[in-house]
Amino acid sequence: MTKEELIQHAFQALRHAYVPYSHYSVGAAVLTKDGTVIPGCNIENASYPAGVCAERCALHNAYAQGYQKDDIAALAVVTEGNTVAGPCGICRQVISELMHGDTPIYLANRREIRETTIDELVPMRFGPEDLA
Ligand SMILES: [Zn+2]
């Protein structure tokens, strides 16, 4: 699967975003090494901190299906906004634990694709090895 195809899956997931407060829809898609695409979207809540971002939704969905970091080939995160938005701080922390540091992350809107990794997004991060 090409990154463009994975991004299209993320745009399909974006349509399911529940965003009555921000009206800022985000879609995500995890690609596993067996070719499965697992969607995620942001889901807000009247108790704002109870909402969840699209990329965490997709990654948690992947883990709930039995996939782990060794199984994840890529993550795409998309918006309809004018900017290519990076993951928020909480998502960066979650991605840093649930994906390998060098797994491709595609950030996109309708005009632009940026490719990065969590190693690039979160250098010197806190992780499980710090609790050992
Ligand atoms: Zn987030």
Side-chain angles (χ1 to χ4, degrees):
M1 177 175 297
T2 67
K3 64 183 171 187
E4 288 82 6
E5 289 169 333
L6 184 63
I7 286 165
Q8 286 311 307
H9 282 283
F11 273 116
Q12 288 176 11
L14 176 148
R15 296 198 314 242
H16 303 296
Y18 176 75
V19 289
Y21 310 107
S22 73
H23 306 288
Y24 185 76
S25 296
V26 183
V30 168
L31 175 64
T32 65
K33 291 177 181 172
D34 68 10
T36 302
V37 176
I38 300 165
C41 60
N42 55 336
I43 301 172
E44 295 181 345
N45 192 280
S47 174
Y48 289 5
V52 68
C53 301
E55 49 272 63
R56 271 183 288 148
C57 180
L59 275 172
H60 290 174
N61 193 354
Y63 270 67
Q65 293 185 37
Y67 296 103
Q68 296 200 338
K69 64 169 61 175
D70 285 345
D71 306 308
I72 296 173
L75 168 69
V77 185
V78 304
T79 76
E80 297 281 9
N82 292 323
T83 61
V84 174
C88 78
I90 293 171
C91 286
R92 290 178 193 221
Q93 181 65 31
V94 170
I95 292 167
S96 77
E97 183 147 344
L98 300 187
M99 287 175 52
H100 285 297
D102 60 351
T103 300
I105 300 173
Y106 308 117
L107 307 173
N109 62 9
R110 293 290 184 184
R111 297 191 317 256
E112 181 183 358
I113 299 170
R114 289 192 192 160
E115 185 169 345
T116 186
T117 64
I118 205 63
D119 279 346
E120 183 174 75
L121 291 172
V122 191
M124 297 181 65
R125 57 186 173 263
F126 183 81
E129 63 281 0
D130 295 306
L131 296 175

